[in-house]
Amino acid sequence: MDIYQFEYVMAIAEEKSISKAAKKLYITQPSLSQYIMRLENNLGVKLFDRSARSMILTYAGEIYVQTAKNILNLNTGMKRKLSDIAGSKKGRLAMGVPHQTGRHILPLVLPEFHIQYPEIEIVVKEDVTMRLEEMLLSGKIDIAILNLPMQNEKILYKTIFTERMFLVAPKNHWICDSQMFLGYDCKIDFNLLKDEPFILLEQGQRMRLLMDEIFKKANFKPNVLMEIKNLDTAYCIAAAGMGFTFVPENVVQLLNVGQYNNFLIDNITLTLVVAYRRGEYITKATNDFIDITKDIMSLKQRERIYSSIAYRRIYI
């Protein structure tokens, strides 16, 4: 029994096609077909149901694939432990990150990590949170930079930092008129906006869950003008005058915009973590990446708080 046969079967199970799996594995389709047929003959069971148009795992195949995943994870963990014992600074770190999070964190963190580990191959996968969690559980990535809460008990995490949340108002809206309030330190009741249009992220994104939680806490159903994928776009559309939206502090800082239409939301924060599979061996390089990320983001957050003017606030 060798590692390659596990990878072959898992590739076919994932692609549901011999030809697609062969292309992914860089081998010929006839060779892969013959390999699987010999394997099934040796095992005495069929791993795939070939009666359908696609290659579907049989019950025996499902057991085989799950066992193969466990064996491959054990093999990977063993190699990482031995590499750490040997003091090696070589290897590969595959990380997943949502598009927006990657934009404001990776340019700060990766250069510093590369200085300390120049021979570590860094692989970055960008996707929505739900798919990143699936990739993490299946072993396609080693870690993921995500926002809480986690949806699966098999995923553990280490907290990086907690950032503040902001309400973004249309620039021509009455709440942006500084003459309406006595100074920057005043508080505005969120319920005054219950009839206003809101621009929200699409369902299924972690930030959307937080947005929904804000409305639940305020005890009113939002007037949703539109749902989109990107936080930067939501910010710009809201600021241009079409409605309100919510963004974390990093978006406000990245866009380098004025403060008159940004309102700090009291008692609402977003916690960023580095997540990994339960039972996964965390290498020294990965632990150092987590520490570097935590140190850099904590420093940036302190700089933002100390250098910024006090924001007007929204209370819910």
Side-chain angles (χ1 to χ4, degrees):
M1 185 176 291
D2 59 63
I3 296 298
Y4 289 113
Q5 74 180 46
F6 298 145
E7 294 176 345
Y8 290 173
V9 173
M10 290 172 64
I12 297 172
E14 183 174 331
E15 299 295 333
K16 296 181 173 56
S17 164
I18 287 281
S19 59
K20 291 181 180 178
K23 186 177 181 180
K24 181 178 181 180
L25 296 166
Y26 300 102
I27 61 177
T28 65
Q29 180 177 339
S31 296
L32 182 57
S33 295
Q34 292 172 13
Y35 190 95
I36 295 301
M37 289 177 64
R38 289 197 300 269
L39 176 60
E40 289 178 327
N41 288 335
N42 291 335
L43 294 173
V45 294
K46 292 293 183 182
L47 300 178
F48 294 96
D49 180 358
R50 295 168 174 80
S51 61
R53 295 182 64 181
S54 59
M55 299 282 284
I56 305 298
L57 286 171
T58 63
Y59 177 64
E62 291 176 357
I63 294 175
Y64 184 96
V65 166
Q66 185 55 56
T67 305
K69 287 180 180 179
N70 293 336
I71 293 174
L72 288 173
N73 286 337
L74 287 171
N75 182 64
T76 300
M78 177 192 68
K79 289 181 177 179
R80 289 173 177 170
K81 290 177 184 178
L82 294 177
S83 179
D84 271 358
I85 291 172
S88 173
K89 286 198 171 185
K90 297 181 179 180
R92 179 177 183 270
L93 177 60
M95 67 182 73
V97 60
H99 299 281
Q100 179 63 44
T101 304
R103 183 182 172 215
H104 84 273
I105 286 186
L106 296 186
L108 298 173
V109 175
L110 290 186
E112 180 61 31
F113 179 75
H114 184 64
I115 291 172
Q116 297 190 28
Y117 289 90
E119 295 185 274
I120 293 284
E121 177 191 2
I122 301 170
V123 179
V124 177
K125 303 284 188 180
E126 292 185 292
D127 213 321
V128 298
T129 298
M130 183 171 63
R131 283 198 286 270
L132 289 175
E133 287 187 359
E134 292 172 355
M135 293 167 67
L136 190 62
L137 290 170
S138 66
K140 293 180 181 178
I141 54 177
D142 304 313
I143 58 174
I145 302 175
L146 303 172
N147 292 313
L148 290 183
M150 291 295 105
Q151 301 297 307
N152 194 301
E153 62 181 11
K154 293 182 180 179
I155 297 177
L156 303 180
Y157 60 86
K158 294 185 178 181
T159 299
I160 298 301
F161 75 106
T162 299
E163 61 181 328
R164 302 179 296 180
M165 289 295 299
F166 284 79
L167 174 78
V168 181
K171 292 180 179 179
N172 58 354
H173 196 274
W174 60 265
I175 71 169
C176 298
D177 184 357
S178 61
Q179 299 301 315
M180 295 289 295
F181 307 101
L182 299 175
Y184 276 95
D185 202 29
C186 69
K187 289 187 178 183
I188 304 167
D189 186 350
F190 183 64
N191 278 276
L192 292 174
L193 309 176
K194 64 181 180 180
D195 295 322
E196 299 287 350
F198 280 86
I199 300 157
L200 305 180
L201 294 188
E202 292 179 348
Q203 292 286 351
Q205 298 193 53
R206 192 59 48 84
M207 267 297 299
R208 177 56 188 269
L209 293 177
L210 182 59
M211 293 175 176
D212 290 342
E213 187 62 31
I214 291 173
F215 291 113
K216 183 179 179 181
K217 186 175 181 180
N219 198 31
F220 73 82
K221 186 176 180 180
N223 172 21
V224 181
L225 177 66
M226 66 178 71
E227 296 179 329
I228 58 179
K229 291 182 179 180
N230 188 279
L231 272 173
D232 290 3
T233 306
Y235 185 101
C236 294
I237 293 174
M242 288 191 68
F244 289 79
T245 194
F246 306 98
V247 296
E249 188 171 10
N250 72 79
V251 173
V252 175
Q253 296 294 327
L254 271 177
L255 296 179
N256 193 27
V257 291
Q259 296 177 328
Y260 65 91
N261 69 320
N262 303 318
F263 296 83
L264 181 62
I265 305 175
D266 276 352
N267 302 319
I268 299 291
T269 57
L270 193 65
T271 301
L272 198 73
V273 303
V274 173
Y276 53 93
R277 294 184 300 277
R278 183 185 295 275
E280 181 79 0
Y281 178 76
I282 305 299
T283 65
K284 183 180 184 304
T286 302
N287 273 319
D288 285 348
F289 174 83
I290 294 172
D291 290 341
I292 290 169
T293 305
K294 186 174 183 177
D295 291 344
I296 289 176
M297 298 313 298
S298 295
L299 176 61
K300 289 295 180 181
Q301 187 179 43
R302 289 196 297 272
E303 289 175 353
R304 290 170 182 171
I305 293 174
Y306 294 152
S307 64
S308 65
I309 300 172
Y311 286 95
R312 287 177 287 179
R313 297 172 181 265
I314 292 284
Y315 67 90
I316 300 174

